[in-house]
Amino acid sequence: MSVLDQIVKAYDIRGTVPDQLDADVAHALGVGFASFIRSNSKAERIVIARDMRPSGPAFVEAFSRGILNQGIDVIDLGLGSTDLMYYASGVLDAPGAMFTASHNPAGYNGIKLCVAGARPVGVDTGLLDVKRVAEEVLEGGGPKPAASAGSQSERNVLSDFAEHVLTFVDLADIGTMRVVADTANGMGGLVVPAVMERIPSVELEVMYGELDGTFPNHPPDPLQPANQRDLRARVKSGGFDIGLAFDGDADRVFVVDELGVGLSGSTTTALLAVAALRAAPGATILHNLICSKSVPEVVTEHGGVPVRTKVGHSYIKQIMANTGAVFGGEHSAHYYFARNFNADSGLIASLMVMAEVGRSGGPLSGVRAPLDRYAASGEINTQVDDASAVIEQISAAHSDYDQDRLDGLTVNCGDWWFNLRPSNTEPLLRLNLEAPDQNTCADRVAELLTMITS
C-alpha cells in the first residue's frame, strides 16, 4: 500500500506523523485539492484552519503552498474548531480544509475537506480525485504551476462564529446555569469560552482548557467512558447543572447530567430533535441506523418525520440536502443543523441542550428520563479474518427475522435488534445491539459474539 492508500479514509485523511503524513504529503494533497476544486468549480479561494497539534503549522504551510502554486488564493483562519471552519466555508462560500485528527491520539494528524458551502468531500465526492493527483505529485509529476500564483491572507472569524452559534437558541430559555466543559486540551478550549462568555447568566468552568496537542490529561475521545470520568466527578463535586465533553476538534460533544451520568448520543439526538421540531413542526429529522429506536419514536411522537441513514457525515449531509431535513444526529455525538450549512457542531448542540433544560424548569436528569427507553451495548469491535463471510453466516442464522443492508447487516428481532458493520480500514466487525433491558442486552451480545468468534 502507498502512503496515500493508508491515510485516505472514507470521509477524510488521517495518519500517523511523520511516517504516514509529513510536509511533502501535505503539499501533494494541497496540489490535489486545488486541482479538484479548479476542475469542479469556479472557486478562487480556499479557507484553511488547524487544531492545536504540533505538526499543524508545518502541514498548513506545505498544503497552502500547493494550493497557491495552482493559482488559488488561501485564507488562513489560524487555530479553530472544525465547525468554525465549516462556518467560514459556508458564509464565505469557499472550499475549506481543516487540519485535525479529531479524537485520535497525539501521534496523528489529518485533513477534513469540504467544497463551498461546507458540503463534504469523501471518497464518493472527490477525495479519490484529490488522492490521484497527490500521488502524481509525490511521484514527481502532477499539474503544472499556474501562470500566476495565488495570494495568501489571514482572517479571524472566531467572534462571528460565536455570534452565529448563539442564533440557534433564545438565551432567555437558558436562564441561570452552571456549566463545566472538559475540552481535553483540544480546540474547545478556544471556542467554548468564546461562546459562553456571551451569555451573562451562564457560569462556565473549563477543564483542561489549555491548547496542547500532546493531550497531557486524557485522550480527546469522549466516546470512551474513561475519558469522561474526570468530567463526571467534577459535575457532582461542583454541583454543576450540566457537563460537556468535547473531542479534539470540538465538532462533537457528549453531555453529562447533574448527577454525573452521561447521555448517549442517541438520547441527545432525541432531545435535540424535540427542540428542532418545536421550531419547525412536522419537519424531517435524520438519524443513523445505529441510533436507538427511541429516536424515531420520539420524532414521530412530536409530529416529525424520521429518516434512517447510513453512518457517516458525508451521507447524512447529502440526505439533509436532498430531503430538506432540519436536523440529523448520530450515536457518535455528531449533530447536524440545516441552518449551519447542514454541518455538525458540538457548540450548537450544547446550547440547544442547555436551552431545553432551562425551558423545563427542572434538572437535565428529568429532561432525559422519558427519552432513555432501552439498553444498548455500545459499539463492540471484534477482529475477524473475513468480515463478509461472518456477516453472511450471522444473516443466515437469523433468516427468520427482518433484515436490511443499508449499512452492513441490520436484523430486527422484535423487541431487540442489532447491526453488524465491517470497518472501512481494519479487519474488524462492529456490533451494536439494543434490547428492552440490560440483562437481555448482555445475553444477546454474548450469543452474537460467540457466533462471530466461532
Side-chain angles (χ1 to χ4, degrees), residues 268-286:
T268 302
T269 295
L271 193 159
L272 293 171
V274 172
L277 288 167
R278 184 182 303 112
T284 297
I285 305 290
L286 307 187

Side-chain angles (χ1 to χ4, degrees), residues 5 31 33 51 67 71 102 117 148 158 161 163 173-174 208 212 215 221 239 253-254 278 305 318 323 331 356 390 432:
D5 288 332
V31 176
F33 188 46
D51 70 13
I67 291 171
S102 185
S148 177
L158 179 58
F161 170 64
E163 292 295 335
D173 285 343
I174 292 177
Y208 313 136
D212 187 343
F215 307 115
D221 183 5
V253 66
F254 277 87
R278 184 182 303 112
V305 180
Q318 186 59 55
T323 62
H331 70 297
E356 286 300 288
V390 174
N432 285 269

